[in-house]
Structures are given as structure tokens and as C-alpha cells.
Amino acid sequence: MIDPAGKAKPWAKLQVRFFVIIFKIKIIMKNWTVKVKAVKKKDQGLIRYTRYLLSANEPSRAATNIHPLKDPRQATRNMLAEHSLRQAERRRAGLSGGGVTNYAQSYVFALPKDIPQPTQKQWVGIAARAVKAIANENGIDPQKLWDVTGVVFHEEPTKSKNNHIHVLVGNIVEGKYHKGLTQKKSVYASKQAFNDYMLEVLKVDNKNYEALSQGRDDPLWLARKKQAENEEKTIIEARKKARKEIKIAQLWKEKYNKSGFNELKLEMSLKKREIEEKEEELSEASEYLLSKIDTYVDQCKRLLKYVEEENDKRINSTLNRIERTEQDLERAGFEFPDEEERKRRRNSLAPRLKPPGF
């Protein structure tokens, strides 16, 4: 990994980085998973992570049922005590430095919903089997390692999430920091113990199991990001469609206003004016005819009166007025005696009456 000039080769650095990253990702066993994470930031990081495991207020745990199967708080207290013991022994030995930032490792064992699910007691058995395997791999007393272990079962009633346990394992046992607990060999040992327990107790062999989904599930942040992107895409498409429909409607409105609406508006305006004028004319005509009829009736009454009084002068003038009124009403469509009938009417009143014009 060192070239003749004494410099580290670039690919060597990349290889080291790759092995560092691989411990942080999921170890995929078809649809069964073991996820490993180092709990860093010393005592405060450990305390916060323990609270996180027991918190039901996290956004992703709205439906999660949390069951502490082995008290993680007591395990955390034991881890902190082990760290204090380590510091005291190092001071007695006159050693400085050698500080530890990651006090524990978090193992997450998850199972898909389409296989028999372990009981809470069996989940504890899985954790105990894994811790024992890790201890044996690193030459540690299994009971001592179990004393600094906490187990929390997250029961997921929804189909979208698998049931799983969090196994919090301390890295300091009997005042000694065990580097091997953070290495790949411990992850492999826990995975093998997980598979062995499932085969032995639940009679399910991971080698014969066919996953419902061969791909990895997206992390929560990525799933939310994809959902947000899909929703944003839907909104954008809806906006585009709405803008298109609005534009079409505006074009139709403009076309209608420019061609048909203005003409229709003008035509209706003219029709309205014409109707109003006809109504006005009819109203005036009606008033005129009613006035003429009233005049005609009044004239006929006066004529009868003058005939009774034998007032020849008044009879003649009234009869002339009646004839003129009859002519006006005749032009308006009323039927009245013709000229011959008028003459006979005059003759019946003779010899008192003089011909018109005398």
C-alpha cells in the first residue's frame, strides 16, 4: 500500500474508507436485516440514544409499540460505570490519553412480516444468542457482556414496517475497551447467531426463504424525499393542466366577445329600444283611442239631450262633431256607419237640421 517514494497510494485510502463505510450500512440477508451503528459522542451521546430507543414521540413511531425487554437504562448505567472504572485503572497505571468516544454498538435485528414472528421471550433469546456469539468471538465473558446490554423491542402493527429489536452492547467490559466489538467479525457473529436461532427455534431457514422484495427498502429520509417529489410533480402537472384550461377558456371568451358577443349585445340593445318605442307608441295610441271613445260617448249623450230639448242648433253642431270622431275611430280600425247610413240618420232628424256647411 506504500509506493517506492514512500507515499500512500490513493487506492489504499479508498479501500480503507470502503471498509469503514461498510460497517455503517445494513448487512442484507435477503429480507432479514442486521443494522449496526456506533453510538458516539461519549456519555451524552449514549444517554440521548437510550432515550431515543424508548421514546414514542418520534415522527416515525406513531403506531409503534415499544417494549423494553432488558432495561436499557440500567445497561447504560452499567456502561458508564465501566467507563469510570477504565479511567480509574488508567490513572493508577499512569496512562494518559486513550479516550473513548463510542461507548456502545447498536445492533438492529429485523424480520419480515411474511414469516412466523418471535414472541417477546424469543426476541430476548435472539438478543442473548447474538451477544453470546459476539462475546465468544472477542474472548469476553458472555455474562459480563450481557450485563452491559440493553434490549428494546419495537412492535410495528403496520405492514410498511418490520418488527425489530434494538440491542445496545457496551464496548467496555471489566474496565477494558474491546476494539473487536466494533469490527466486522462481531457483525458476522451476530448475523450467524440470528440465523441459527431462527432455524432452531422458529424452524425458518434463511437459505430457503424467498424475500417478497429482493431490493432494499429506502431509508425513511429517502422515502419521504421521493414522496415529496411525487407530490410536487403531481402539483406541477395539475397547475400546468389548470393553466392550459384557463388559457383555452380565455381564448374562447376573447373570441366570443370580439365576434359574437358585441353583435349580440348591439342587436339586443336595438331590439330593446324598438320594443320600448312600440310600447310607447301603443301606450300613446291606447290613450288616444280611449280619449276618442270617451269623447264619442259624451257626444252621443249630448246629442240625445239636445234632441229632447229640440235644440236644433246644438243638434246640428254635435252631430258634425260625432261624424268627425267616427271618422277618426274608423281610421283606428273601428267599424262605424258608412256615409249612406249617416245621411239616413240626418234625414231622420230633418227638417230641423241643416246640411253641413250652412
Side-chain angles (χ1 to χ4, degrees):
M1 297 175 68
I2 306 295
D3 63 10
K7 296 182 180 180
K9 295 181 179 179
W11 63 266
K13 293 182 180 180
L14 182 62
Q15 187 179 28
V16 171
R17 183 176 296 178
F18 172 79
F19 283 115
V20 170
I21 292 173
I22 199 169
F23 290 117
K24 299 180 181 179
I25 64 175
K26 292 182 179 180
I27 309 301
I28 301 298
M29 300 177 297
K30 293 188 177 179
N31 226 28
W32 304 5
T33 61
V34 176
K35 182 179 179 181
V36 186
K37 175 183 177 181
V39 182
K40 299 183 178 181
K41 297 187 179 180
K42 301 184 178 181
D43 55 346
Q44 292 302 312
L46 178 61
I47 293 170
R48 281 196 297 269
Y49 189 75
T50 303
R51 290 174 181 168
Y52 166 76
L53 293 182
L54 298 172
S55 175
N57 298 324
E58 298 296 324
S60 60
R61 296 181 187 165
T64 304
N65 298 318
I66 300 174
H67 307 279
L69 303 183
K70 186 176 185 298
D71 190 2
R73 296 186 184 90
Q74 183 59 50
T76 296
R77 287 192 286 268
N78 294 343
M79 292 178 205
L80 295 176
E82 288 286 352
H83 181 263
S84 297
L85 177 61
R86 178 177 183 272
Q87 285 183 320
E89 290 182 352
R90 289 181 64 83
R91 281 195 298 269
R92 281 195 298 271
L95 299 176
S96 60
V100 178
T101 59
N102 55 324
Y103 285 14
Q105 295 291 108
S106 173
Y107 291 78
V108 181
F109 298 87
L111 286 172
K113 291 289 183 66
D114 60 327
I115 65 171
Q117 296 296 296
T119 64
Q120 292 189 24
K121 185 177 180 180
Q122 289 170 339
W123 277 115
V124 174
I126 291 172
R129 181 74 67 90
V131 170
K132 182 178 180 180
I134 294 170
N136 291 336
E137 185 67 30
N138 289 276
I140 303 172
D141 182 351
Q143 184 58 50
K144 296 293 184 181
L145 187 60
W146 185 248
D147 290 341
V148 290
T149 297
V151 182
V152 181
F153 172 42
H154 285 179
E155 184 181 12
E156 305 291 351
T158 61
K159 294 182 179 180
S160 59
K161 297 180 70 176
N162 294 337
N163 293 333
H164 58 279
I165 55 171
H166 294 263
V167 181
L168 190 61
V169 182
N171 290 333
I172 303 173
V173 182
E174 295 184 298
K176 180 182 178 182
Y177 176 73
H178 294 270
K179 180 71 173 177
L181 295 175
T182 65
Q183 294 176 344
K184 185 177 180 181
K185 62 179 182 179
S186 296
V187 179
Y188 181 78
S190 68
K191 181 177 70 173
Q192 289 300 115
F194 187 20
N195 289 341
D196 292 344
Y197 187 93
M198 291 297 299
L199 179 60
E200 178 184 332
V201 178
L202 295 177
K203 310 302 180 185
V204 180
D205 189 352
N206 72 300
K207 295 178 182 178
N208 298 329
Y209 171 71
E210 293 185 4
L212 293 177
S213 173
Q214 295 294 335
R216 296 185 181 183
D217 293 334
D218 291 331
L220 184 59
W221 67 269
L222 182 57
R224 288 176 176 171
K225 181 182 178 183
K226 288 182 178 180
Q227 183 180 0
E229 289 175 350
N230 291 335
E231 290 176 354
E232 184 179 3
K233 185 178 179 181
T234 302
I235 292 171
I236 291 173
E237 290 177 354
R239 285 177 178 170
K240 287 181 179 178
K241 185 177 180 181
R243 290 194 193 101
K244 185 178 180 181
E245 291 177 352
I246 290 171
K247 188 174 181 180
I248 292 172
Q250 288 176 340
L251 289 174
W252 275 105
K253 182 180 177 182
E254 290 174 3
K255 182 179 180 181
Y256 183 70
N257 287 344
K258 289 179 181 177
S259 60
F261 183 73
N262 289 336
E263 293 178 3
L264 180 62
K265 186 177 179 180
L266 178 60
E267 182 180 351
M268 293 302 296
S269 178
L270 293 174
K271 287 285 185 183
K272 182 182 178 183
R273 189 180 304 170
E274 182 180 349
I275 291 170
E276 289 175 349
E277 289 175 354
K278 286 185 177 181
E279 286 180 348
E280 186 176 353
E281 290 175 1
L282 289 172
S283 177
E284 291 175 356
S286 298
E287 291 178 1
Y288 173 78
L289 289 174
L290 289 172
S291 175
K292 283 291 182 182
I293 292 170
D294 289 341
T295 301
Y296 182 72
V297 172
D298 186 58
Q299 288 172 346
C300 290
K301 288 178 179 180
R302 285 199 298 271
L303 178 62
L304 293 173
K305 178 184 177 183
Y306 297 147
V307 168
E308 291 177 357
E309 294 175 354
E310 296 183 356
N311 188 339
D312 297 340
K313 185 177 180 181
R314 293 282 184 180
I315 291 173
N316 188 44
S317 60
T318 302
L319 191 58
N320 290 336
R321 292 190 186 95
I322 287 174
E323 289 177 353
R324 286 196 297 270
T325 302
E326 286 177 347
Q327 291 173 359
D328 292 337
L329 292 172
E330 191 175 5
R331 285 194 292 270
F334 289 89
E335 292 184 1
F336 286 98
D338 55 12
E339 189 64 27
E340 293 296 327
E341 183 65 26
R342 289 193 187 103
K343 287 181 179 180
R344 284 194 296 272
R345 185 176 58 189
R346 279 184 172 274
N347 291 333
S348 65
L349 295 175
R352 294 191 180 95
L353 299 182
K354 296 179 181 180
F358 285 85

